[in-house]
Amino acid sequence: MSRTDTHEDLNAVIRQHSELLAAQLHSQRESLFPPDASKTMRKFTSGEAASLLGVNDSYLRKLHLDGKGPSPEISSGNRRHYSADDIHSLRVLLEKTARKPGDYLPGRRAGDHLQIIGVMNFKGGSGKTTSSAHLAQRLALKGYRVLAIDLDPQASMTALHGVQPEFDLMNGGTLYDAIRYEEPVPIAEVIRKTYIPNLDLIPGNLELMEFEHETPRALSRGNAGLFFFRVKEALAQVDERYDVVVIDCPPQLGFLTMSALSAATGVLVTIHPEMLDVMSMSQFLRMTADLMDVIADSGADMSHDWMRYLLTRYEPTDAPQNRIVAFLRTMYGDKVLNAPMLKSTAISDAGLTKQTLYEVERSAFTRTTYDRAIESLNAVNDEIAQLIQKTWGR
Ligand SMILES: Nc1ncnc2c1ncn2[C@@H]1O[C@H](COP(=O)(O)OP(=O)(O)OP(=O)(O)O)[C@@H](O)[C@H]1O
Ligand SMILES: [Mg+2]
């Protein structure tokens, strides 16, 4: 190492590298996604629309021929395509004549409480963001009113939804603004519409880290206003607007995660079934329980409607993984969701272009690859939807 590597130099180099990288990333994004090109949702085939609505395609065709509901786009071969907005309009139409209420609009009814789902595990890369984003989108497409919150300063879920954490949020706009100790803003100010009907987003970026730094200071001044209630109290302001809130947590057990855990009515712990991940999970569970005790000791209600483990990036042909899955299922019984999220190149490839698999056309992959992945995602998300329905007594 040369003598010139002084502290100042290192600082300057890091700053210069940061600026270079930011400029490069920005221009790359500009060419990939021009600033005026906001993300849009693809159209759905009539088969996909029918399946999302839970009706037959022939019934949808009849509605169309009878001039009822939105007109689909007709392509060559007389194929009908529906936008996500069309599907929502059809839901509203079908619900009017539904056999029982909630067949098409499955959200809350009078007396049902808001479902707040915290997706967590302090193991990095265990599939939290992938699970959160697909869950939020699937629920929205199924007619639930959903708010997705990115609580991770790394902001992967934000980027996945077409918001650039480093450029679009220069003047704040994350949940931090609504949960900070000094002059918090109303949470409604940080909620954005997305390109999917029924799905709103509170994006994240590095500013969320401020909450981790400020909380110990606020605690030492004795005015943290019970930090673990910050998320819950902020969400209470918009309770009536949503059926389900999905919170993508950061890979650590800090104040942000604890605050989400205190707000949560449902907890989803993602597990990649490999030995190293499972070993760190034991530690995660113990630390979580210890922290929850501390919070409960201060009088907070730490009861939840449900808690489940979700197996992620599961490879059914991998023998060591199967041993771990069998062992987890024996140990934790029905606390492990029946449906695992299969590992699929369709899911990781979609992620590379900042999309979920629900946003990608089936034709982008070989059919079997796409179908296998989407069936696995739907099975996971629909099992979670059943848990939600159950807590509402249905
Ligand atoms: N079912 C899957 N099949 C293939 N790849 C997957 C699957 N689930 C997640 N991945 C990939 O694994 C990586 C990690 O996933 P993800 O970002 O969801 O994890 P995470 O727990 O949110 O990570 P972090 O702790 O950094 O927030 C991503 O590159 C993602 O595309
Ligand atoms: Mg993540």
Side-chain angles (χ1 to χ4, degrees), residues 144-285:
Y144 292 85
R145 299 167 305 159
V146 183
L147 173 64
I149 302 182
D150 194 344
L151 207 57
D152 186 353
Q154 295 175 91
S156 323
M157 188 163 75
T158 300
L160 203 54
H161 285 91
V163 178
Q164 306 176 60
E166 64 283 34
F167 297 107
D168 296 339
L169 302 165
M170 297 288 230
N171 302 309
T174 72
L175 190 68
Y176 170 69
D177 296 351
I179 60 173
R180 67 188 173 209
Y181 299 98
E182 267 155 45
E183 298 176 36
V185 305
I187 192 172
E189 285 184 21
V190 292
I191 296 178
R192 303 173 175 228
K193 294 247 153 277
T194 66
Y195 44 90
I196 298 176
N198 297 326
L199 179 62
D200 288 353
L201 171 75
I202 299 183
N205 74 2
L206 271 178
E207 211 163 40
L208 283 163
M209 281 303 290
E210 294 292 321
F211 188 73
E212 302 288 357
H213 299 147
E214 273 175 9
T215 301
R217 280 202 293 264
L219 282 170
S220 69
R221 287 197 303 268
N223 68 344
L226 295 181
F227 78 85
F228 34 82
F229 286 146
R230 303 303 285 186
V231 173
K232 192 180 192 152
E233 282 168 358
L235 284 174
Q237 299 164 23
V238 288
D239 184 295
E240 295 300 318
R241 283 170 56 177
Y242 300 101
D243 300 314
V244 186
V245 177
V246 178
I247 309 180
D248 180 19
C249 292
Q252 65 195 45
L253 253 183
F255 294 112
L256 286 166
T257 303
M258 288 314 293
S259 196
L261 188 62
S262 310
T265 59
V267 175
L268 199 61
V269 178
T270 50
I271 312 178
H272 180 222
E274 300 227 311
M275 208 52 215
L276 280 175
D277 299 53
V278 171
M279 275 156 58
S280 83
M281 206 184 71
S282 154
Q283 207 186 348
F284 169 74
L285 295 175

Side-chain angles (χ1 to χ4, degrees), residues 60-124:
L60 274 193
R61 176 189 297 274
K62 183 174 175 322
L63 284 178
H64 165 55
L65 295 177
D66 292 351
K68 288 185 186 150
S71 309
E73 190 181 285
I74 311 288
S75 66
S76 61
N78 218 12
R79 277 185 239 268
R80 287 165 296 127
H81 289 268
Y82 293 86
S83 69
D85 280 310
D86 291 342
I87 295 174
H88 186 70
S89 306
L90 283 163
R91 275 190 193 290
V92 175
L93 178 76
L94 291 167
E95 181 71 27
K96 283 185 189 140
T97 54
R99 241 175 283 153
K100 52 179 190 354
D103 273 354
Y104 299 97
L105 289 170
R108 288 159 81 189
R109 292 181 222 153
D112 295 342
H113 61 275
L114 175 67
Q115 282 285 301
I116 304 173
I117 304 178
V119 182
M120 48 189 72
N121 192 335
F122 70 5
K123 182 79 181 97

